[in-house]
Short mmCIF file of all heavy atoms in Angstrom, two decimals:
data_model
loop_
_atom_site.label_atom_id
_atom_site.label_comp_id
_atom_site.label_asym_id
_atom_site.label_seq_id
_atom_site.Cartn_x
_atom_site.Cartn_y
_atom_site.Cartn_z
N ASP B 204 74.10 30.43 38.45
CA ASP B 204 74.74 31.15 39.55
C ASP B 204 73.63 31.80 40.37
O ASP B 204 72.99 32.74 39.91
CB ASP B 204 75.70 32.21 38.98
CG ASP B 204 76.48 32.91 40.07
OD1 ASP B 204 76.27 32.60 41.26
OD2 ASP B 204 77.31 33.77 39.73
N LYS B 205 73.36 31.26 41.53
CA LYS B 205 72.19 31.71 42.27
C LYS B 205 72.51 31.77 43.76
O LYS B 205 73.15 30.85 44.31
CB LYS B 205 71.07 30.69 42.05
CG LYS B 205 69.70 31.18 42.30
CD LYS B 205 69.08 31.66 41.00
CE LYS B 205 67.57 31.75 41.08
NZ LYS B 205 67.03 32.46 39.92
N LEU B 206 72.02 32.83 44.40
CA LEU B 206 72.12 32.91 45.87
C LEU B 206 71.07 31.96 46.47
O LEU B 206 69.96 31.85 45.95
CB LEU B 206 71.87 34.33 46.35
CG LEU B 206 72.97 35.36 46.03
CD1 LEU B 206 72.50 36.75 46.41
CD2 LEU B 206 74.26 35.02 46.76
N MET B 207 71.42 31.33 47.56
CA MET B 207 70.49 30.39 48.19
C MET B 207 69.23 31.12 48.68
O MET B 207 68.14 30.56 48.68
CB MET B 207 71.17 29.65 49.35
CG MET B 207 72.30 28.72 48.91
SD MET B 207 71.81 27.53 47.67
CE MET B 207 70.88 26.38 48.67
N GLU B 208 69.43 32.39 49.08
CA GLU B 208 68.27 33.20 49.50
C GLU B 208 67.25 33.32 48.38
O GLU B 208 66.05 33.20 48.59
CB GLU B 208 68.75 34.62 49.87
CG GLU B 208 69.31 34.73 51.26
CD GLU B 208 69.82 36.14 51.55
OE1 GLU B 208 69.66 37.04 50.70
OE2 GLU B 208 70.38 36.32 52.64
N GLU B 209 67.77 33.55 47.17
CA GLU B 209 66.88 33.69 46.00
C GLU B 209 66.12 32.38 45.75
O GLU B 209 64.94 32.39 45.43
CB GLU B 209 67.70 34.06 44.77
CG GLU B 209 68.26 35.46 44.81
CD GLU B 209 69.21 35.76 43.65
OE1 GLU B 209 69.62 34.80 42.94
OE2 GLU B 209 69.55 36.94 43.47
N LEU B 210 66.85 31.28 45.91
CA LEU B 210 66.20 29.97 45.70
C LEU B 210 65.09 29.76 46.72
O LEU B 210 64.00 29.29 46.37
CB LEU B 210 67.23 28.84 45.86
CG LEU B 210 68.08 28.48 44.64
CD1 LEU B 210 68.98 27.31 44.96
CD2 LEU B 210 67.20 28.15 43.45
N GLU B 211 65.39 30.13 47.95
CA GLU B 211 64.37 29.99 49.02
C GLU B 211 63.14 30.83 48.69
O GLU B 211 62.01 30.37 48.83
CB GLU B 211 64.96 30.44 50.35
CG GLU B 211 65.59 29.30 51.14
CD GLU B 211 66.20 29.80 52.44
OE1 GLU B 211 65.59 30.64 53.12
OE2 GLU B 211 67.32 29.35 52.74
N ASP B 212 63.41 32.07 48.23
CA ASP B 212 62.29 32.95 47.86
C ASP B 212 61.43 32.34 46.76
O ASP B 212 60.22 32.52 46.71
CB ASP B 212 62.82 34.33 47.41
CG ASP B 212 63.46 35.08 48.58
OD1 ASP B 212 63.20 34.67 49.74
OD2 ASP B 212 64.19 36.05 48.33
N GLU B 213 62.11 31.62 45.86
CA GLU B 213 61.38 31.00 44.75
C GLU B 213 60.75 29.67 45.16
O GLU B 213 60.10 29.00 44.35
CB GLU B 213 62.34 30.76 43.57
CG GLU B 213 62.81 32.05 42.91
CD GLU B 213 63.96 31.83 41.93
OE1 GLU B 213 64.16 30.66 41.52
OE2 GLU B 213 64.65 32.79 41.59
N GLY B 214 61.01 29.28 46.40
CA GLY B 214 60.45 28.04 46.92
C GLY B 214 61.09 26.79 46.34
O GLY B 214 60.45 25.75 46.23
N LYS B 215 62.34 26.90 45.94
CA LYS B 215 63.04 25.75 45.36
C LYS B 215 64.15 25.30 46.28
O LYS B 215 64.70 26.09 47.03
CB LYS B 215 63.66 26.15 44.01
CG LYS B 215 62.67 26.43 42.92
CD LYS B 215 63.42 26.89 41.69
CE LYS B 215 62.47 27.39 40.62
NZ LYS B 215 63.19 28.10 39.56
N ASN B 216 64.49 24.05 46.17
CA ASN B 216 65.71 23.62 46.85
C ASN B 216 66.83 23.46 45.83
O ASN B 216 66.61 23.59 44.61
CB ASN B 216 65.48 22.34 47.67
CG ASN B 216 65.11 21.16 46.80
OD1 ASN B 216 65.40 21.15 45.61
ND2 ASN B 216 64.45 20.18 47.39
N LEU B 217 68.00 23.17 46.33
CA LEU B 217 69.18 23.12 45.46
C LEU B 217 69.04 22.03 44.39
O LEU B 217 69.37 22.26 43.23
CB LEU B 217 70.43 22.89 46.32
CG LEU B 217 71.76 22.90 45.61
CD1 LEU B 217 72.00 24.20 44.86
CD2 LEU B 217 72.90 22.67 46.61
N MET B 218 68.53 20.88 44.80
CA MET B 218 68.41 19.77 43.85
C MET B 218 67.47 20.14 42.70
O MET B 218 67.76 19.87 41.54
CB MET B 218 67.91 18.52 44.60
CG MET B 218 67.91 17.27 43.76
SD MET B 218 69.54 16.87 43.10
CE MET B 218 70.15 15.81 44.39
N THR B 219 66.35 20.78 43.03
CA THR B 219 65.40 21.20 41.99
C THR B 219 66.06 22.18 41.04
O THR B 219 65.93 22.06 39.81
CB THR B 219 64.17 21.91 42.65
OG1 THR B 219 63.83 21.20 43.83
CG2 THR B 219 63.01 21.98 41.70
N PHE B 220 66.79 23.12 41.62
CA PHE B 220 67.48 24.13 40.81
C PHE B 220 68.48 23.46 39.85
O PHE B 220 68.49 23.75 38.65
CB PHE B 220 68.21 25.11 41.74
CG PHE B 220 69.13 26.08 41.06
CD1 PHE B 220 68.65 27.00 40.14
CD2 PHE B 220 70.50 26.07 41.33
CE1 PHE B 220 69.51 27.89 39.51
CE2 PHE B 220 71.36 26.96 40.71
CZ PHE B 220 70.86 27.86 39.80
N VAL B 221 69.24 22.53 40.39
CA VAL B 221 70.25 21.86 39.56
C VAL B 221 69.57 21.04 38.46
O VAL B 221 69.98 21.09 37.30
CB VAL B 221 71.16 20.94 40.44
CG1 VAL B 221 72.06 20.06 39.58
CG2 VAL B 221 72.01 21.78 41.38
#
Side-chain angles (χ1 to χ4, degrees):
Chain B
D204 185 359
K205 201 95 161 169
L206 289 173
M207 294 305 285
E208 278 178 4
E209 290 174 347
L210 276 183
E211 269 178 42
D212 293 344
E213 291 169 17
K215 291 176 189 168
N216 63 22
L217 184 57
M218 187 58 91
T219 319
F220 171 62
V221 170

